[in-house]
Amino acid sequence: MTDDEKQLVQRLAFWGIPLSLGVMGLKLLAWWVTGSVALLSDGLESFVNVAAACIAYFVIRYAQRPADEDHQFGHHKAEYISAVIEGVLIVIAALLIVKEAWGGLVEPRLPEAPVMGLAINALAGVINAAWALLLIRIGTSHRSPALKADGQHIMSDVVTSAGVLIGLILALLTGYAILDPVLAIIVGINILYQGSKVISHSLGGLMDKAVEPEEEEAIRAAIRSHSAGALGVHDLRTRRAGAVAFIDFHLVVPAKMPVGEAHTICDRLEDAIKAVIPGASLAIHVEPEGESPHGLKVTVEGQ
């Protein structure tokens, strides 16, 4: 990730804090105007959004610090910690929604000033949707798990708002006040599922999950087409930590090949792999022919 890309990710993470505060204010205003339990549950999730935005900003700043003596591979995994926390917060928000909605099942009532409340909540939802799509797009393209998780978290909030609006409209049209809390519970269950997905993906990063299949195929293709002079490649291993993909493998060369020639092949392979996997960090172990191959093998040019 370049310095400009790092600054972009940091700026987006920072502006998520005041924006989440503003959206929370709109949602609580909608609840205050209407007294709707569904709108209250929607507003409660916004408290979590504010906390998540603060966590994402500070963790992203930490994760972008350069490698140091104590963290020689960098601080990239800190973003996964933030993403796990966000997933947990999403789950907590879902449980709060179900808790509040459950009380509404006992004493359901139609909301007051529904048109104004719906309009305010819809405005908050539109703002959140635009912001979430931006965070997910930038977080994906710039390999920022924390930013992407923040966007997914906010998108779950958009789903909440949409469900709440549908529930209130149905309650008003039919006169069945119980639809208000029922829809809130359904939305809460959906958010619970989304939160579990965020946690699962982030834990995969903390556990050194390999790069995506399409990325591994790109690595293999780069090795196949830029390994002229080598005899084979084996023990290919990969893992991803935020924006950085760590790749290492064994490069087999003729026993009598000079060190300088082997080094030239390694440089060529590094350039080719970094061209298809930006931000990759490579470790290539050169070994003479005759060693017993192991691990994942890659066909090399001419073999």
Side-chain angles (χ1 to χ4, degrees):
M1 191 184 297
T2 65
D3 289 339
D4 289 342
E5 290 173 331
K6 289 179 180 179
Q7 289 181 6
L8 173 61
V9 170
Q10 278 195 29
R11 283 199 299 270
L12 287 175
F14 171 77
W15 284 108
I17 298 173
L19 190 140
S20 60
L21 284 168
V23 169
M24 182 182 69
L26 287 174
K27 290 189 174 185
L28 291 179
L29 176 61
W31 162 70
W32 182 75
V33 168
T34 63
S36 165
V37 65
L39 289 180
L40 174 60
S41 66
D42 200 9
L44 285 174
E45 188 186 5
S46 293
F47 278 104
V48 180
N49 289 351
V50 174
C54 293
I55 292 170
Y57 172 64
F58 289 107
V59 169
I60 284 173
R61 288 194 62 183
Y62 179 80
Q64 291 182 351
R65 291 172 58 183
D68 54 33
E69 186 176 345
D70 293 328
H71 304 85
Q72 297 176 4
F73 289 93
H75 302 77
H76 314 288
K77 282 193 174 183
E79 289 208 36
Y80 288 115
I81 297 174
S82 171
V84 170
I85 294 174
E86 290 232 19
V88 172
L89 291 176
I90 293 174
V91 171
I92 292 174
L95 295 176
L96 287 174
I97 289 171
V98 172
K99 178 179 179 295
E100 290 297 323
W102 191 261
L105 287 175
V106 179
E107 297 181 5
R109 65 186 183 87
L110 292 174
E112 302 172 4
V115 176
M116 182 180 296
L118 291 176
I120 295 173
N121 206 61
L123 174 61
V126 170
I127 294 172
N128 261 351
W131 186 247
L133 290 173
L134 177 63
L135 292 182
I136 292 173
R137 180 173 64 83
I138 299 299
T140 300
S141 62
H142 291 67
R143 296 288 182 183
S144 173
L147 200 65
K148 183 178 178 181
D150 200 20
Q152 291 172 327
H153 184 178
I154 295 173
M155 187 56 73
S156 72
D157 194 20
V158 174
V159 174
T160 302
S161 298
V164 165
L165 288 174
I166 293 172
L168 288 178
I169 291 172
L170 288 176
L172 292 170
L173 291 177
T174 63
Y176 290 110
I178 198 170
L179 289 176
D180 182 14
V182 167
L183 261 294
I185 290 175
I186 294 174
V187 169
I189 293 172
N190 176 68
I191 293 173
L192 189 64
Y193 169 68
Q194 297 299 328
S196 67
K197 287 203 302 183
V198 172
I199 294 172
S200 175
H201 176 77
S202 303
L203 288 177
L206 287 173
M207 295 299 293
D208 288 339
K209 183 181 178 182
V211 298
E212 296 299 325
E214 59 271 18
E215 292 179 311
E216 182 176 317
E217 180 52 39
I219 294 169
R220 288 173 172 270
I223 292 174
R224 282 194 297 267
S225 58
H226 293 81
S227 55
L231 300 178
V233 168
H234 62 92
D235 201 20
L236 171 64
R237 298 184 300 174
T238 66
R239 65 183 177 91
R240 181 168 283 285
V244 180
F246 292 91
I247 304 163
D248 66 78
F249 55 86
H250 291 203
L251 180 73
V252 183
V253 299
K256 295 183 179 180
M257 177 178 282
V259 174
E261 288 185 27
H263 186 264
T264 298
I265 298 174
C266 290
D267 284 345
R268 188 168 66 241
L269 285 170
E270 284 191 24
D271 292 340
I273 293 173
K274 287 181 178 179
V276 295
I277 309 291
S281 176
L282 282 90
I284 303 175
H285 173 72
V286 178
E287 60 184 38
E289 60 184 314
E291 296 292 328
S292 178
H294 54 279
L296 292 177
K297 301 177 183 178
V298 181
T299 303
V300 302
E301 195 175 66
Q303 298 298 312

